[in-house]
Amino acid sequence: MQALQQYIDLYKEHHEVIDKHSARVLNALRPEALRCIESCELPTTKHEDYQHTDLVAMYAPDYGLNITRIELPTQPQEAFRCDVPNLSTQLYFLVGDNFYRNNRNKELPDGVLVGSLRDMAEAHPELVARCYGKIADMSKDVTVALNTLLAQDGFFLYIPKGVVLDKPIQLVNIIGGGVSMMHNRRILVVAEEGAQAKLLVCDHSEEDGITQLISQVTEIWAGKGAVVDYYSLEENATCVQRISSTYVHQEADSNVLVNGITLRNGTTRDNYHIALEGEGAEAQLCGMAIADGDKRVDVYTHIDHSKAHCNSNELFKYVLDDNAIGSFAGRILVREGSQKTEAYQSNKNLCASTTAHMYTKPQLEIYADDVKCSHGATVGQLDQQALFYMRTRGISESEARMLLQFAFMSDVIENVRLDALKDRLRQLVEKRFRGELSQCQQCAMRTQKQ
Amino acid sequence: MLQIKDLHANINGKEILKGINLTVRPGEVHAIMGPNGSGKSTLSSVLTGNPAYEVTQGSVEFYGKDLLALSPEDRSHEGLFLSFQYPVEIPGVSMVNFMRAAINELRKYRGEEPMSATEFLKLMREKRAIVELDNKLASRSVNEGFSGGEKKRNEIFQMAMLEPRLSILDETDSGLDIDALRIVAEGVNKLKNENNATIVITHYQRLLDYIAPDYVHVLYKGRIVKSGGPELALELEEKGYDWIKKELGEI
């Protein structure tokens, strides 16, 4: 309880300041969030869903919070040049958990809203209130409740009915500044009927030896027939702890792709909840994690089929080296009456060292009788025969291992529906396996210190 | 170029090679024949450095170097090539990337610059023609979904790319129809010159009709029990291995 209590105390003592620097729509949920937190505890590693992530240890440090919203002295545009080749994006920044209000923004189709969640909640309260906190269920996850209690800003994307956003939207989260902080971010995406958008969220932090805690809650509303791509790319320093929860609500005939990629991290816990709540909805959930050293990647997924004629396809792959620990728990729930559901899940993992550990737990829970569902999970080593074959052709063992590991990840990259991002990912993944990359090479991002 | 002396090797503690002696000089073609389980494939695995096998005794010199002390990749860089009996499928690794990695590592070993993309593609095109390998295969994953014949042609294509000094063809004829056999054999013959050598491991005389050996050796129970000229292969075809076993006093 100690770990949580400090944040409860902080809120009680400073709630006026927190509210003052946020928006009414966000503030409105805080009392309820407080009730949720006070009525429960952080799950320990004895809890079935948290065996491999020690939440108590994650939240225990006395992190600073930027509740008065001091603008960190950063020029992200000057510092950050993540130019995915041929991918021209609308670029936005969150510095810590503070939206960076840049003025260089570009022309967007009529009615599209992109920007600070706090500003948007003040300007369009009904629009934000309709979905904010409605897709993520804080009564079931204390980390979501805590995020709701403390989050003051974040990112909001709204695409009106029938509007197709051609250009992908890119949100870059920059962590740095040399102070140990807790960052409570909130992302809300609302795609109305027939709307289409692609959002790429990148996490970047410098290897500066300072412990940071990121708490991110993403909510995505996909209206009838909407098409949404959500890519999340983590490239964080080893001392960054991250807990991120992504909640997707899908109406009939909507199509949502979620791809979570962990290239570099410290300790990561990613939760994905996808609710297919209209007939004909389709979800693709995939992800990959590359972890070495003492890194930890723990993914929990939950796909909820509550209507008939919905499809879901899930694919997660891990490559673990050194002492890395990976964990995947994937649950698919097919509720009564969800006939003609097709739900597939696959989790494949490579342990490249004898000391890496992978825990995988596929779960199917089916209450309908006319469905097609499958799950598969494998943990293996690199194919020794293939390795030898390549070596007889003069390819060094390290190069051969790299090629095989890269090949292993290729189908997750193939699932990306943005060609330029696909190319960029190939480069990033290859460099990651070659160990050439301590930071995204193109990004000379720096948090300028005064 | 190659001098094998009293070579003994085990797999999982079981002795398979029990004292092999063989000398190969540039320009020569040696055929190694023998019944199933005599150690033919073990010999090729040991020479190329398959970590599953343990050498317990003997020595192998390749151009004066201790071959057994080299890693599999350095054996390749020194000019040793094995055409696998069962080429390995590598899903997700394209033939182009695979070959480019192989060529560039060889060049690095020789202290040369990596090959440019244009040069490399030109080389691929040129060498593909030798074994009539389809361009489509070259853009696919290594051996994945290749037919038996395509896999063997792909082996010879790789041999053409790497231009080894000594090639070991391990049952390259198995699983080939007549046309594929001819294409593979012609490919091997085109690559032959006075500076390189070939060891052909086979069960049948058929392949030797196309690739004419200078020497034929019979491997039996881990030893070379008989060596001779091309006529030995014909004799084996006619009489089978029982004749050898009789000579050894086993029957």
Side-chain angles (χ1 to χ4, degrees):
Chain A
M1 201 61 205
Q2 288 302 320
L4 275 184
Q5 192 59 43
Q6 57 178 331
Y7 301 108
I8 296 172
D9 293 346
L10 176 113
Y11 175 74
K12 286 184 171 165
E13 204 170 315
H14 299 289
H15 65 92
E16 281 166 6
V17 184
I18 291 171
D19 283 357
K20 190 180 148 213
H21 292 95
S22 186
R24 274 164 299 166
V25 175
L26 278 66
N27 297 338
L29 297 188
R30 297 192 210 281
E32 173 62 22
L34 182 65
R35 271 193 296 279
C36 288
I37 298 163
E38 286 187 316
S39 68
C40 63
E41 289 182 11
L42 275 174
T44 65
T45 51
K46 291 201 176 84
H47 189 284
E48 199 195 334
D49 291 337
Y50 282 93
Q51 282 172 336
H52 306 290
T53 298
D54 188 347
L55 281 182
V56 178
M58 245 180 174
Y59 282 95
D62 180 16
Y63 291 107
L65 274 91
N66 183 10
I67 55 173
T68 53
R69 309 272 95 191
I70 299 162
E71 291 254 350
L72 293 168
T74 304
Q75 293 292 324
Q77 272 146 330
E78 262 78 84
F80 179 92
R81 295 185 303 274
C82 185
D83 51 336
V84 179
N86 310 316
L87 174 65
S88 100
T89 61
Q90 301 271 29
L91 194 56
Y92 300 87
F93 295 94
L94 279 173
V95 177
D97 49 18
N98 219 357
F99 188 81
Y100 179 78
R101 287 161 184 78
N102 53 352
N103 302 318
R104 291 194 208 167
N105 257 323
K106 310 102 198 181
E107 303 247 320
L108 288 163
D110 276 351
V112 171
L113 301 171
V114 193
S116 152
L117 179 63
R118 176 184 161 190
D119 295 354
M120 293 294 176
E122 292 290 62
H124 310 275
E126 306 79 30
L127 211 54
V128 174
R130 204 183 87 205
C131 296
Y132 181 74
K134 302 290 192 295
I135 310 168
D137 187 351
M138 62 177 160
S139 68
K140 289 193 181 129
D141 190 331
V142 66
T143 68
V144 174
L146 191 58
N147 179 285
T148 310
L149 182 74
L150 300 170
Q152 292 168 282
D153 197 1
F155 182 75
F156 181 61
L157 169 62
Y158 176 81
I159 313 109
K161 188 174 170 181
V163 171
V164 175
L165 264 188
D166 293 326
K167 271 194 177 181
I169 303 283
Q170 188 177 7
L171 173 67
V172 179
N173 298 312
I174 291 180
I175 301 285
V179 187
S180 191
M181 303 271 278
M182 176 190 197
H183 310 272
N184 289 289
R185 295 200 292 248
R186 199 79 189 201
I187 297 170
L188 177 59
V189 178
V190 180
E192 300 280 23
E193 187 177 334
Q196 296 191 13
K198 293 179 166 73
L199 176 63
L200 164 63
V201 178
C202 301
D203 258 32
H204 286 265
S205 59
E206 268 186 291
E207 204 71 64
D208 57 6
I210 292 162
T211 311
Q212 306 280 355
L213 175 64
I214 297 170
S215 155
Q216 176 175 294
V217 174
T218 303
E219 292 175 282
I220 298 171
W221 170 281
K224 196 164 181 282
V227 180
V228 179
D229 286 18
Y230 176 77
Y231 304 97
S232 164
L233 178 64
E234 183 179 2
E235 287 188 279
N236 274 325
T238 47
C239 45
V240 171
Q241 315 261 311
R242 163 173 139 144
I243 173 148
S244 129
S245 295
T246 303
Y247 290 82
V248 181
H249 167 97
Q250 291 191 239
E251 296 279 290
D253 300 317
S254 61
N255 183 316
V256 174
L257 166 71
V258 175
N259 196 339
I261 296 159
T262 309
L263 286 186
R264 194 170 302 284
N265 73 314
T267 300
T268 296
R269 163 71 182 218
D270 288 333
N271 298 313
Y272 296 97
H273 297 263
I274 295 182
L276 298 153
E277 299 191 29
E279 289 197 3
E282 207 174 321
Q284 263 198 73
L285 173 58
C286 43
M288 67 160 87
I290 302 170
D292 51 11
D294 294 311
K295 298 175 171 66
R296 284 166 167 265
V297 182
D298 182 5
V299 173
Y300 174 87
T301 74
H302 186 248
I303 297 181
D304 186 343
H305 283 263
S306 57
K307 290 284 186 310
H309 300 283
C310 291
N311 292 348
S312 69
N313 213 328
E314 194 175 354
L315 171 69
F316 275 84
K317 288 191 153 183
Y318 291 58
V319 172
L320 304 172
D321 206 341
D322 303 331
N323 301 312
I325 298 175
S327 153
F328 173 83
R331 193 153 159 242
I332 297 173
L333 172 62
V334 181
R335 293 181 194 264
E336 211 179 320
S338 306
Q339 302 297 12
K340 304 288 179 191
T341 288
E342 286 192 32
Y344 307 105
Q345 182 191 89
S346 168
N347 171 231
K348 292 182 176 166
N349 312 289
L350 260 183
C351 285
S353 75
T354 53
T355 45
H357 283 73
M358 181 69 208
Y359 302 90
T360 176
K361 192 168 62 180
Q363 290 175 299
L364 282 181
E365 217 178 308
I366 302 170
Y367 300 99
D369 57 10
D370 185 12
V371 300
K372 281 187 201 165
C373 296
S374 71
H375 63 74
T378 59
V379 182
Q381 289 86 43
L382 286 175
D383 181 347
Q384 292 302 314
Q385 277 194 322
L387 211 52
F388 176 64
Y389 185 73
M390 293 168 99
R391 293 178 72 189
T392 64
R393 291 343 184 208
I395 300 173
S396 66
E397 190 175 357
S398 62
E399 183 72 12
R401 289 173 74 93
M402 196 286 295
L403 284 170
L404 289 176
Q405 291 177 343
F406 183 78
F408 180 75
M409 287 305 193
S410 56
D411 49 355
V412 178
I413 301 176
E414 286 310 308
N415 275 330
V416 170
R417 299 195 285 209
L418 249 175
D419 284 344
L421 179 60
K422 224 189 253 188
D423 291 343
R424 181 74 182 132
L425 268 178
R426 283 195 196 100
Q427 287 175 19
L428 286 174
V429 169
E430 185 180 330
K431 283 192 172 141
R432 176 66 177 88
F433 280 128
R434 286 187 194 283
E436 282 173 10
L437 198 73
S438 66
Q439 283 292 328
C440 167
Q441 237 185 12
Q442 306 281 324
C443 313
M445 70 96 175
R446 237 161 253 108
T447 308
Q448 292 164 359
K449 289 164 198 156
Q450 282 183 322
Chain B
M1 59 162 62
L2 183 77
Q3 204 155 30
I4 305 176
K5 281 185 189 156
D6 193 30
L7 185 65
H8 291 248
N10 288 351
I11 184 163
N12 301 327
K14 188 170 183 278
E15 187 169 55
I16 310 284
L17 299 186
K18 301 171 180 171
I20 300 271
N21 291 290
L22 181 68
T23 301
V24 179
R25 283 170 290 267
E28 293 179 348
V29 176
H30 290 248
I32 296 181
M33 305 182 76
N36 290 326
S38 58
K40 300 189 299 293
S41 286
T42 299
L43 179 62
S44 63
S45 294
V46 168
L47 290 178
T48 45
N50 189 329
Y53 295 86
E54 187 199 356
V55 174
T56 52
Q57 204 178 311
S59 67
V60 181
E61 261 187 29
F62 188 54
Y63 281 99
K65 283 195 177 148
D66 178 5
L67 189 73
L68 301 177
L70 299 176
S71 64
E73 48 270 37
D74 282 348
R75 296 182 197 201
S76 164
H77 299 148
E78 286 294 329
L80 186 65
F81 181 86
L82 171 64
S83 167
F84 280 62
Q85 183 179 359
Y86 303 109
V88 182
E89 296 190 7
I90 314 178
V93 177
S94 72
M95 271 306 295
V96 174
N97 284 345
F98 172 70
M99 256 359 277
R100 189 186 294 131
I103 290 282
N104 284 335
E105 293 243 8
L106 175 63
R107 292 172 72 99
K108 195 165 85 186
Y109 187 78
R110 293 176 178 163
E112 296 166 3
E113 288 294 305
M115 196 177 259
S116 77
T118 351
E119 236 182 311
F120 175 75
L121 290 174
K122 193 174 152 247
L123 185 71
M124 286 270 287
R125 219 173 17 247
E126 206 177 284
K127 303 294 185 181
R128 233 174 37 224
I130 294 178
V131 283
E132 298 170 33
L133 193 71
D134 199 299
N135 187 21
K136 278 189 230 110
L137 296 181
S139 56
R140 294 229 304 260
S141 291
V142 179
N143 291 322
E144 196 188 27
F146 285 30
S147 71
E150 285 164 348
K151 281 182 183 170
K152 295 299 172 79
R153 261 149 63 188
N154 191 20
E155 294 292 286
I156 306 306
F157 161 69
Q158 293 171 40
M159 175 176 152
M161 289 291 286
L162 295 170
E163 298 180 334
R165 298 197 277 191
L166 176 63
S167 303
I168 304 167
L169 310 182
D170 190 359
E171 300 204 18
T172 297
D173 49 342
S174 68
L176 289 188
D177 60 39
I178 303 290
D179 291 333
L181 181 69
R182 182 185 47 77
I183 294 169
V184 163
E186 279 174 4
V188 173
N189 287 332
K190 277 181 209 159
L191 298 171
K192 217 175 90 180
N193 61 41
E194 70 273 18
N195 296 317
N196 63 25
T198 313
I199 296 175
V200 183
I201 295 174
T202 182
H203 275 292
Y204 306 106
Q205 159 63 25
R206 195 175 62 161
L207 180 65
L208 304 179
D209 287 342
Y210 293 97
I211 305 171
D214 302 299
Y215 302 94
V216 175
H217 310 277
V218 178
L219 189 62
Y220 182 61
K221 290 191 173 173
R223 282 192 196 91
I224 289 177
V225 293
K226 199 168 181 66
S227 294
E231 70 288 346
L232 180 56
L234 295 168
E235 212 171 342
L236 286 171
E237 184 80 358
E238 195 182 316
K239 299 184 184 167
Y241 291 110
D242 281 354
W243 154 67
I244 302 274
K245 291 177 192 169
K246 245 179 229 159
E247 273 200 5
L248 291 171
E250 288 195 358
I251 299 177

